Amino acid sequence: MTMKQEVLDIIREQIRKLKTIENGFYAQRFADIDPDAIRTQEDFENLPFTDKGNLRDAYPLGLAAVPEEEIVRIHSSSGTTGTPVIIPYTRKDVDDWAEMFKRCYEIAGITPKDRVHITPGYGLWTAGIGFQAGAERLGAMVIPMGPGNTDKQIRFMQDMGSTVLCATSSYALLLAEEIEKRGVINKLKLKKGVIGSERWGEKMRKRIAGELGVSLYDIYGLTEIYGPGIGISCDADKGMHVFDDFLYFEVIDPKTGKNVPDGEIGELVITTLRKEGAPLIRYRTHDLTRILTGECPCGCKYPRIEAILGRTDDMVKVKGVNIFPGQIDELLHEVEGVSSEYQVMIDHFDGKDRITLFFETEMPAEERKALGTAVQAHFKARIGVTVVPKPVSIGELPRSEKKSQRIFDNRY
Ligand code: ZN
């Protein structure tokens, strides 16, 4: 994307201000940077990246860029390893986030007449409260369920007449399966699903949409940059609209750190333009996507990125080929009889790398061998490596309310 002059001016001003903060984090990061020397997009693209590790080092409140009395809340990103990251928010940050989230609901065609059933968790992480603040800003009725207790979820959906389900893709799938099992779909009023925080395949999307009878929208976000609600897919279903008046988006080659041309897949990097509590310059999301060019058929003017294709950390190199989950979703989708759930195991066997691909199917046992062969041939044709196919029955692979890991690299 071409950087607008006003965006460059905002960033230059931001760095000038951050350099004066005495708490260490920003002063140290920008010590060698002269804001006046940032004159072009190229200058900007030479600024250092910010990574999660930098934020972790600032624990607990080193990221605060405003005086204590201006901070109204903190959130924390789920650190699977070690020290968490703490993000301080000012009142304006909380407001701006709600405003972006409200736009997301509007892009999805949700109105004040909707009843929004929120299943993502509440607490330190940004999920539930973000969905709630945006829906309240819109004027819809919020049903703040939080995760778990499937019986109660379904009962409230029925009794409260929920029209919008907010969930992670794996929890939406679990609910869809439970609703089908109980045969209560006709008692529900669900129309739309706002599904976030995970990369998910076309096939899984079709299953959830089909079983619940709803239109689905991908919501995007991360705690370090407000939280979910900084982008969403629309009815044209051609990528996700993102809010370039609040954030600046780049896509880089994760290996070299250089920006890639629009349309090419790489790692999403985000710079905040209005954030006060913890502004971030060139934050590496580790999410794989690409910038989509041209106008969206839906008419919405906000720019678009592709739905997240995977994580740079999930990208594995096997036999010299880069493989990431988004590709596997796509290719399994193209084979008749293969369901949406799969797992990939990579190990070193007999002196060679071996990829074992487990996938779910409804086909009877006697037809699975042929199906496996078809999947193997398709994988080879699309990605160029040979896998060991392992068809299993529906429900055999793990489901979770949290993020599902699909590629397990057991080589090291
Ligand atoms: Zn659109």
Side-chain angles (χ1 to χ4, degrees):
M1 258 188 255
T2 311
M3 190 176 220
K4 291 179 199 148
Q5 186 57 43
E6 62 189 84
V7 169
L8 195 57
D9 294 342
I10 291 170
I11 293 168
R12 188 187 311 111
E13 216 34 61
Q14 186 159 259
I15 291 176
R16 201 191 309 277
K17 220 155 110 199
L18 291 173
K19 271 177 79 92
T20 65
I21 298 173
E22 280 167 16
N23 72 4
F25 177 80
Y26 295 100
Q28 211 180 328
R29 286 198 69 71
F30 301 118
D32 300 332
I33 291 159
D34 172 12
D36 294 319
I38 308 166
R39 291 197 200 92
T40 63
Q41 179 165 356
E42 204 186 343
D43 295 335
F44 169 77
E45 288 170 3
N46 282 324
L47 290 176
F49 293 112
T50 310
D51 215 327
K52 198 160 185 167
N54 305 128
L55 309 191
R56 213 173 264 137
D57 293 344
Y59 182 88
L61 280 170
L63 282 178
V66 293
E68 160 109 38
E69 60 271 26
E70 289 178 36
I71 295 170
V72 299
R73 190 199 290 169
I74 60 126
H75 280 292
S76 169
S77 70
S78 52
T80 41
T81 50
T83 316
V85 166
I86 304 289
I87 306 289
Y89 293 66
T90 65
R91 170 146 311 282
K92 182 175 181 297
D93 294 338
V94 167
D95 276 358
D96 287 350
W97 181 22
E99 177 59 29
M100 281 188 275
F101 218 129
K102 171 182 167 252
R103 285 183 193 170
C104 287
Y105 284 127
E106 286 170 340
I107 289 171
I110 294 162
T111 75
K113 287 191 175 159
D114 278 299
R115 298 182 179 185
V116 182
H117 190 102
I118 298 171
T119 70
Y122 283 79
L124 273 176
W125 67 318
T126 47
I129 200 166
F131 281 92
Q132 175 158 349
E136 287 177 354
R137 170 77 55 110
L138 178 70
M141 186 205 285
V142 168
I143 306 157
M145 299 298 297
N149 198 342
T150 306
D151 284 330
K152 196 169 182 184
Q153 298 281 3
I154 295 174
R155 178 171 174 196
F156 266 65
M157 264 183 221
Q158 240 171 278
D159 296 346
M160 298 309 301
S162 309
T163 60
V164 177
L165 171 67
C166 302
T168 61
S169 55
S170 46
Y171 196 51
L173 181 60
L174 186 146
L175 282 172
E177 286 173 345
E178 285 299 319
I179 287 165
E180 203 198 9
K181 229 186 263 173
R182 291 160 207 226
V184 292
I185 188 73
N186 291 329
K187 294 183 180 154
L188 303 184
K189 297 206 170 96
L190 288 178
K191 290 184 304 190
K192 291 173 193 285
V194 178
I195 308 295
S197 98
E198 260 176 295
R199 173 209 49 72
W200 51 318
E202 197 48 41
K203 207 142 200 179
M204 186 164 179
R205 166 189 274 272
K206 279 225 167 103
R207 272 185 70 196
I208 297 169
E211 286 181 18
L212 292 177
V214 296
S215 325
L216 295 178
Y217 304 86
D218 294 301
I219 196 140
Y220 180 65
L222 56 163
T223 302
E224 294 81 358
I225 313 281
Y226 297 100
I230 64 169
I232 192 165
S233 63
C234 61
D235 280 319
D237 201 18
K238 298 223 169 357
M240 302 187 288
H241 291 280
V242 289
F243 305 122
D244 60 339
D245 50 344
F246 285 94
L247 302 162
Y248 180 72
F249 296 86
E250 302 171 79
V251 173
I252 61 158
D253 179 324
K255 299 259 157 42
T256 64
K258 295 275 171 241
N259 287 65
V260 301
D262 288 353
E264 254 178 52
I265 294 172
E267 178 181 345
L268 185 67
V269 172
I270 305 177
T271 295
T272 64
L273 303 177
R274 302 198 197 175
K275 215 157 186 265
E276 296 177 335
L280 292 176
I281 307 285
R282 305 197 83 202
Y283 183 68
R284 293 186 68 152
T285 65
H286 294 276
D287 285 327
L288 292 169
T289 184
R290 64 179 145 201
I291 288 170
L292 301 176
T293 51
E295 298 251 312
C296 182
C298 84
C300 174
K301 296 293 177 215
Y302 292 111
R304 289 170 300 147
I305 57 172
E306 176 105 71
I308 302 305
L309 296 159
R311 301 271 304 159
T312 53
D313 336 306
D314 294 338
M315 197 161 84
V316 287
K317 205 166 194 170
V318 189
K319 300 172 185 176
V321 178
N322 278 331
I323 301 176
F324 53 88
Q327 292 173 301
I328 301 173
D329 286 339
E330 288 303 316
L331 79 90
L332 286 181
H333 175 58
E334 290 157 5
V335 182
E336 185 83 25
V338 179
S339 188
S340 60
E341 293 294 309
Y342 68 90
Q343 259 184 18
V344 176
M345 299 285 177
I346 303 163
D347 59 4
H348 203 69
F349 180 74
D350 225 5
K352 279 185 271 181
D353 287 340
R354 176 177 66 177
I355 309 175
T356 310
L357 173 64
F358 295 86
F359 58 90
E360 293 188 352
T361 177
E362 281 171 336
M363 287 209 177
E366 62 273 17
E367 288 171 34
R368 287 186 188 175
K369 191 153 190 264
L371 182 65
T373 308
V375 165
Q376 187 182 46
H378 198 53
F379 204 106
K380 175 85 183 166
R382 289 288 301 270
I383 298 184
V385 290
T386 302
V387 297
V388 181
K390 295 273 187 203
V392 299
S393 301
I394 302 283
E396 277 194 53
L397 294 174
R399 306 283 192 278
S400 81
E401 290 176 19
K402 293 208 181 118
K403 304 179 185 194
S404 323
Q405 189 184 358
R406 296 185 191 275
I407 298 184
F408 297 86
D409 192 347
N410 302 319
R411 284 175 296 181
Y412 312 104

